[in-house]
Amino acid sequence: MTRHLVRLVLAGLVAAFLAFGWATFRIWETGNRDDRQTADAIVVLGAAQYDGRPSPVFRARLDHAVDLYEAGIAPYLVVTGGKAAGDRTTEGAAARAFAITRGVPAAAILVEDRSRTTLESLHAVAGLLRERQLASAIFVSDRTHMLRVLRIARDEGITAHGSPTATSPTDASFLSRADATIHELGALALYFVSGQTP
Protein backbone atom coordinates (compact mmCIF):
# COMPACT_ATOMS: atom_id res chain seq x y z
CA MET A 1 0.00 0.00 0.00
CA THR A 2 2.83 2.38 0.91
CA ARG A 3 4.57 1.64 -2.37
CA HIS A 4 1.42 2.46 -4.36
CA LEU A 5 0.95 5.69 -2.41
CA VAL A 6 4.55 6.73 -3.11
CA ARG A 7 4.08 6.02 -6.80
CA LEU A 8 0.87 8.03 -6.84
CA VAL A 9 2.54 10.99 -5.14
CA LEU A 10 5.50 10.83 -7.53
CA ALA A 11 3.17 10.66 -10.54
CA GLY A 12 1.30 13.70 -9.24
CA LEU A 13 4.54 15.63 -8.77
CA VAL A 14 5.73 14.75 -12.28
CA ALA A 15 2.36 15.80 -13.75
CA ALA A 16 2.45 19.09 -11.83
CA PHE A 17 6.02 19.76 -12.97
CA LEU A 18 5.10 19.08 -16.61
CA ALA A 19 2.02 21.30 -16.39
CA PHE A 20 4.08 24.07 -14.78
CA GLY A 21 6.74 23.78 -17.47
CA TRP A 22 4.22 23.80 -20.33
CA ALA A 23 2.33 26.79 -18.94
CA THR A 24 5.59 28.71 -18.42
CA PHE A 25 6.62 27.96 -22.00
CA ARG A 26 3.23 29.17 -23.30
CA ILE A 27 3.41 32.40 -21.27
CA TRP A 28 6.87 33.24 -22.60
CA GLU A 29 6.18 32.05 -26.16
CA THR A 30 3.00 34.13 -26.42
CA GLY A 31 4.68 37.14 -24.85
CA ASN A 32 7.55 37.03 -27.32
CA ARG A 33 5.23 37.00 -30.35
CA ASP A 34 3.93 40.21 -31.92
CA ASP A 35 0.82 39.45 -33.98
CA ARG A 36 0.00 43.04 -34.93
CA GLN A 37 -2.30 43.27 -37.92
CA THR A 38 -5.13 45.46 -39.11
CA ALA A 39 -8.02 45.34 -36.62
CA ASP A 40 -11.08 47.27 -35.48
CA ALA A 41 -9.45 48.52 -32.27
CA ILE A 42 -6.30 48.57 -30.17
CA VAL A 43 -6.96 47.75 -26.51
CA VAL A 44 -4.54 48.76 -23.74
CA LEU A 45 -4.81 46.94 -20.43
CA GLY A 46 -4.69 49.29 -17.47
CA ALA A 47 -2.02 49.50 -14.78
CA ALA A 48 -1.28 51.83 -11.90
CA GLN A 49 -1.52 55.58 -12.27
CA TYR A 50 -0.38 58.26 -9.84
CA ASP A 51 -2.79 61.20 -9.65
CA GLY A 52 -3.34 61.10 -13.40
CA ARG A 53 0.22 60.17 -14.35
CA PRO A 54 0.66 56.65 -15.78
CA SER A 55 3.12 54.45 -13.89
CA PRO A 56 6.21 53.26 -15.81
CA VAL A 57 4.47 49.95 -16.55
CA PHE A 58 1.33 51.71 -17.81
CA ARG A 59 3.31 54.25 -19.81
CA ALA A 60 5.23 51.48 -21.60
CA ARG A 61 1.91 49.92 -22.63
CA LEU A 62 0.45 53.26 -23.71
CA ASP A 63 3.51 54.29 -25.72
CA HIS A 64 3.35 51.01 -27.63
CA ALA A 65 -0.40 51.28 -28.21
CA VAL A 66 -0.11 54.85 -29.50
CA ASP A 67 2.68 53.75 -31.84
CA LEU A 68 0.34 51.07 -33.21
CA TYR A 69 -2.43 53.64 -33.65
CA GLU A 70 -0.07 56.01 -35.48
CA ALA A 71 0.94 53.12 -37.74
CA GLY A 72 -2.69 52.78 -38.83
CA ILE A 73 -3.31 49.39 -37.22
CA ALA A 74 -6.82 50.36 -36.07
CA PRO A 75 -9.14 53.40 -36.06
CA TYR A 76 -9.93 53.16 -32.34
CA LEU A 77 -7.82 53.08 -29.18
CA VAL A 78 -9.53 51.53 -26.15
CA VAL A 79 -8.06 52.38 -22.74
CA THR A 80 -9.03 50.52 -19.60
CA GLY A 81 -8.81 50.58 -15.83
CA GLY A 82 -10.80 51.83 -12.89
CA LYS A 83 -9.96 53.58 -9.66
CA ALA A 84 -8.17 52.13 -6.65
CA ALA A 85 -9.13 53.12 -3.11
CA GLY A 86 -7.96 56.67 -2.45
CA ASP A 87 -7.39 57.54 -6.11
CA ARG A 88 -8.77 60.81 -7.45
CA THR A 89 -8.95 59.58 -11.04
CA THR A 90 -9.08 56.34 -12.97
CA GLU A 91 -6.50 54.45 -15.00
CA GLY A 92 -8.75 54.85 -18.04
CA ALA A 93 -8.96 58.64 -17.62
CA ALA A 94 -5.20 58.92 -17.12
CA ALA A 95 -4.62 56.81 -20.23
CA ARG A 96 -7.03 58.91 -22.30
CA ALA A 97 -5.28 62.14 -21.27
CA PHE A 98 -1.88 60.63 -22.05
CA ALA A 99 -2.98 59.41 -25.49
CA ILE A 100 -4.38 62.85 -26.35
CA THR A 101 -1.04 64.47 -25.45
CA ARG A 102 0.56 62.01 -27.87
CA GLY A 103 -1.75 63.23 -30.64
CA VAL A 104 -4.50 60.62 -30.66
CA PRO A 105 -7.84 62.37 -31.45
CA ALA A 106 -10.27 62.31 -28.53
CA ALA A 107 -12.99 60.96 -30.83
CA ALA A 108 -10.85 57.88 -31.55
CA ILE A 109 -10.47 56.95 -27.86
CA LEU A 110 -12.93 54.65 -26.11
CA VAL A 111 -12.72 54.48 -22.31
CA GLU A 112 -13.52 51.64 -19.90
CA ASP A 113 -12.90 53.05 -16.43
CA ARG A 114 -14.78 50.91 -13.91
CA SER A 115 -12.85 47.65 -13.82
CA ARG A 116 -10.30 46.59 -11.21
CA THR A 117 -9.22 43.24 -12.68
CA THR A 118 -8.16 41.85 -16.04
CA LEU A 119 -11.36 39.81 -16.23
CA GLU A 120 -13.57 42.84 -15.50
CA SER A 121 -11.69 44.94 -18.05
CA LEU A 122 -12.04 42.42 -20.83
CA HIS A 123 -15.71 41.76 -20.11
CA ALA A 124 -16.38 45.52 -20.30
CA VAL A 125 -14.24 45.92 -23.44
CA ALA A 126 -16.21 43.14 -25.14
CA GLY A 127 -19.38 45.12 -24.42
CA LEU A 128 -17.89 48.35 -25.78
CA LEU A 129 -16.83 46.63 -28.98
CA ARG A 130 -20.18 44.93 -29.48
CA GLU A 131 -22.03 48.22 -29.02
CA ARG A 132 -20.05 49.66 -31.94
CA GLN A 133 -20.16 46.48 -34.03
CA LEU A 134 -16.40 46.05 -33.73
CA ALA A 135 -15.21 42.45 -33.78
CA SER A 136 -11.41 42.37 -33.73
CA ALA A 137 -8.77 43.93 -31.52
CA ILE A 138 -5.03 44.10 -30.96
CA PHE A 139 -4.32 43.79 -27.25
CA VAL A 140 -1.40 45.59 -25.63
CA SER A 141 0.04 44.62 -22.26
CA ASP A 142 3.24 43.23 -20.77
CA ARG A 143 4.76 40.11 -22.30
CA THR A 144 3.94 37.84 -19.37
CA HIS A 145 0.33 39.09 -19.27
CA MET A 146 -0.50 38.38 -22.92
CA LEU A 147 -1.47 34.70 -22.72
CA ARG A 148 -4.11 35.37 -20.04
CA VAL A 149 -5.37 38.49 -21.80
CA LEU A 150 -5.81 36.72 -25.14
CA ARG A 151 -7.44 33.66 -23.58
CA ILE A 152 -10.04 35.75 -21.74
CA ALA A 153 -10.63 38.05 -24.73
CA ARG A 154 -11.32 35.08 -26.98
CA ASP A 155 -13.61 33.56 -24.36
CA GLU A 156 -15.49 36.90 -24.49
CA GLY A 157 -15.99 36.45 -28.23
CA ILE A 158 -13.39 38.93 -29.45
CA THR A 159 -11.16 38.13 -32.42
CA ALA A 160 -8.02 38.86 -30.42
CA HIS A 161 -4.36 39.26 -31.34
CA GLY A 162 -1.50 40.36 -29.13
CA SER A 163 1.17 43.01 -29.52
CA PRO A 164 3.05 43.09 -26.21
CA THR A 165 5.24 45.99 -25.24
CA ALA A 166 8.96 45.22 -25.11
CA THR A 167 9.84 48.14 -22.81
CA SER A 168 7.93 47.31 -19.63
CA PRO A 169 9.80 47.35 -16.30
CA THR A 170 8.55 43.78 -15.86
CA ASP A 171 11.13 42.87 -18.53
CA ALA A 172 13.93 44.85 -16.90
CA SER A 173 15.64 41.72 -15.58
CA PHE A 174 15.28 37.97 -15.55
CA LEU A 175 14.16 38.10 -11.93
CA SER A 176 11.39 40.63 -12.60
CA ARG A 177 10.13 38.60 -15.54
CA ALA A 178 10.29 35.40 -13.50
CA ASP A 179 8.29 37.06 -10.72
CA ALA A 180 5.66 38.22 -13.23
CA THR A 181 5.55 34.72 -14.73
CA ILE A 182 4.86 33.15 -11.33
CA HIS A 183 2.02 35.62 -10.82
CA GLU A 184 0.58 34.67 -14.21
CA LEU A 185 0.81 30.94 -13.49
CA GLY A 186 -1.34 31.45 -10.42
CA ALA A 187 -3.78 33.75 -12.22
CA LEU A 188 -4.19 31.33 -15.13
CA ALA A 189 -4.72 28.37 -12.79
CA LEU A 190 -7.39 30.33 -10.93
CA TYR A 191 -9.11 31.27 -14.20
CA PHE A 192 -9.17 27.70 -15.51
CA VAL A 193 -10.44 26.30 -12.19
CA SER A 194 -12.94 28.96 -11.12
CA GLY A 195 -13.48 31.31 -14.05
CA GLN A 196 -12.15 34.18 -11.90
CA THR A 197 -8.83 36.00 -12.16
CA PRO A 198 -7.16 39.14 -10.78
Side-chain angles (χ1 to χ4, degrees), residues 38-123:
T38 302
D40 294 326
I42 299 159
V43 180
V44 192
L45 275 295
Q49 57 82 30
Y50 308 120
D51 201 21
R53 181 172 50 87
S55 65
V57 168
F58 203 8
R59 176 161 184 156
R61 297 178 186 182
L62 290 165
D63 278 334
H64 184 62
V66 172
D67 288 344
L68 292 176
Y69 177 82
E70 291 175 342
I73 294 295
Y76 291 102
L77 176 65
V78 183
V79 294
T80 70
K83 182 191 295 186
D87 282 353
R88 296 196 299 173
T89 189
T90 65
E91 294 168 7
R96 180 180 184 277
F98 178 86
I100 289 172
T101 66
R102 283 283 313 269
V104 179
I109 304 172
L110 306 179
V111 181
E112 180 290 299
D113 62 357
R114 295 186 177 181
S115 64
R116 291 303 307 147
T117 68
T118 297
L119 184 62
E120 290 175 359
S121 287
L122 293 172
H123 181 71

Side-chain angles (χ1 to χ4, degrees), residues 89-194:
T89 189
T90 65
E91 294 168 7
R96 180 180 184 277
F98 178 86
I100 289 172
T101 66
R102 283 283 313 269
V104 179
I109 304 172
L110 306 179
V111 181
E112 180 290 299
D113 62 357
R114 295 186 177 181
S115 64
R116 291 303 307 147
T117 68
T118 297
L119 184 62
E120 290 175 359
S121 287
L122 293 172
H123 181 71
V125 165
L128 277 177
L129 296 179
R130 280 193 298 269
E131 286 172 8
R132 291 160 178 79
Q133 298 184 321
L134 306 175
S136 62
I138 303 298
F139 286 85
V140 175
S141 192
D142 300 342
R143 286 172 167 169
T144 52
H145 196 201
M146 287 310 306
L147 178 62
R148 180 160 54 109
V149 168
L150 293 176
R151 175 57 190 260
I152 297 171
R154 289 165 183 161
D155 287 348
E156 289 286 344
I158 303 168
T159 301
H161 303 280
S163 183
T165 177
T167 60
S168 174
T170 59
D171 278 328
S173 69
F174 175 80
L175 286 178
S176 61
R177 193 168 187 188
D179 182 65
T181 300
I182 291 169
H183 170 80
E184 285 303 314
L185 287 168
L188 281 166
L190 181 63
Y191 181 66
F192 288 135
V193 170
S194 70

